[in-house]
């Protein structure tokens, strides 16, 4: 049993395209924006490892446990990162949104909440998930704060959960339930609207008096 693939998801700020090797060069450029692979508490592929990472994610899709996307900005068409539905249990159904990274220049632009709005909307409204999960490294304070801003609640911490280079990772688990989704959706929509209004104010020429 597998969840039906969602295809391309299009929002107001971003488009999520099914991952393919055609995205390779754009993903390499996005990872180089901030040299994200140097962050020790998260996993972002190096330019040299991008092919292997694409293969890995597509292999997990073939196995039915992941649906990977490439994230593109709508205003420029630029590739800014990757995200996935992962740890899929189609019987419940239940999914985790994770393995996400974005170029440094795209952070704070509203692109992440728009991507999460698309994915949460699909999980709750199309697949009928009763809950959607998020996980992150205990030390990744930026990720933990971003997940909390979405409206997710912390479920707990899995101690010594994963072996990472040089240490055992404690994993912080968050989730959003179906009953919470309506409020989370409103909050995300308002955040996206504020970003759109800010962009409009920056691009509208001042009217001479």
């Amino acid at each position: 049993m597998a969840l039906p693939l969602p295809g391309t998801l299009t929002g107001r700020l971003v488009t999520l395209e099914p991952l393919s090797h055609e995205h390779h060069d754009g993903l390499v450029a996005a990872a180089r924006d901030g040299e994200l692979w140097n962050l020790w508490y998260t996993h972002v592929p190096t330019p040299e490892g991008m092919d292997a990472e694409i293969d890995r994610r597509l292999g997990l899709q073939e196995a039915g446990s992941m649906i990977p996307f490439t994230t593109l900005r709508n205003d420029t068409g630029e590739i800014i990162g990757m995200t996935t539905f992962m740890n899929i249990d189609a019987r419940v159904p239940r999914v985790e949104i994770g393995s996400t990274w974005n170029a440094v220049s795209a952070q704070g632009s509203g692109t992440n909440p728009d991507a999460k709005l698309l994915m949460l909307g699909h999980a709750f409204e199309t697949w009928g998930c009763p809950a959607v999960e998020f996980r992150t490294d205990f030390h990744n304070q930026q990720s933990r704060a971003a997940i909390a801003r979405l409206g997710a609640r912390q479920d707990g911490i899995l101690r010594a959960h994963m072996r990472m280079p040089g240490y055992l990772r404690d994993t912080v688990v968050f989730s959003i339930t179906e009953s919470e989704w309506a409020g989370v959706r409103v909050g995300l929509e308002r955040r996206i609207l504020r970003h759109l209004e800010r962009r409009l104010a920056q691009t509208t020429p001042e009217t001479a008096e």
Side-chain angles (χ1 to χ4, degrees):
M1 182 179 179
L3 293 175
L5 297 177
T8 297
L9 302 175
T10 303
R12 302 186 72 177
L13 297 175
V14 298
T15 296
L16 303 180
E17 291 187 358
L19 176 66
S20 79
H21 278 283
E22 294 179 0
H23 297 137
H24 173 271
D25 291 351
L27 289 167
V28 167
R32 283 185 170 139
D33 182 353
E35 297 186 353
L36 298 173
W37 59 87
N38 287 323
L39 297 173
W40 65 272
Y41 49 74
T42 189
H43 174 71
V44 177
T46 64
E48 297 76 19
M50 192 64 71
D51 262 326
E53 178 63 8
I54 293 172
D55 282 338
R56 184 186 76 85
R57 296 189 184 208
L58 292 178
L60 291 172
Q61 177 171 277
E62 186 68 24
S65 64
M66 177 180 282
I67 299 175
F69 297 94
T70 297
T71 309
L72 300 90
R73 290 183 67 133
N74 288 347
D75 55 350
T76 64
E78 178 185 15
I79 289 175
I80 59 172
M82 308 170 88
T83 191
T84 78
F85 291 115
M86 58 188 290
N87 293 325
I88 296 170
D89 185 342
R91 296 167 299 177
V92 176
R94 186 180 176 101
V95 297
E96 176 188 343
I97 294 176
S99 290
T100 300
W101 59 267
N102 288 308
V104 167
S105 62
Q107 294 173 16
S109 65
T111 52
N112 182 58
D114 196 32
K116 295 302 188 291
L117 179 65
L118 289 170
M119 298 178 79
L120 288 165
H122 194 85
F124 286 119
E125 298 168 15
T126 300
W127 287 334
C129 293
V132 175
E133 190 172 293
F134 300 84
R135 298 188 176 198
T136 192
D137 192 308
F138 176 85
H139 296 287
N140 193 341
Q141 298 296 331
Q142 181 179 356
S143 176
R144 290 173 65 178
I147 293 170
R149 282 196 303 274
L150 296 174
R153 300 186 186 183
Q154 183 173 317
D155 296 326
I157 300 175
L158 302 175
R159 304 294 302 278
H161 177 235
M162 295 176 63
R163 190 169 295 282
M164 304 293 285
Y167 74 107
L168 278 173
R169 166 178 141 165
D170 290 348
T171 297
V172 187
V173 183
F174 297 80
S175 67
I176 298 170
T177 65
E178 186 178 18
S179 64
E180 297 164 345
W181 165 231
V184 170
R185 181 178 58 209
V186 169
L188 288 171
E189 288 171 344
R190 289 180 177 175
R191 286 176 62 185
I192 293 161
L193 181 59
R194 286 197 297 270
H195 282 284
L196 288 168
E197 290 172 343
R198 193 174 301 128
R199 285 190 189 182
L200 182 61
Q202 292 171 347
T203 58
T204 301
E206 294 184 6
T207 303
E209 294 183 357

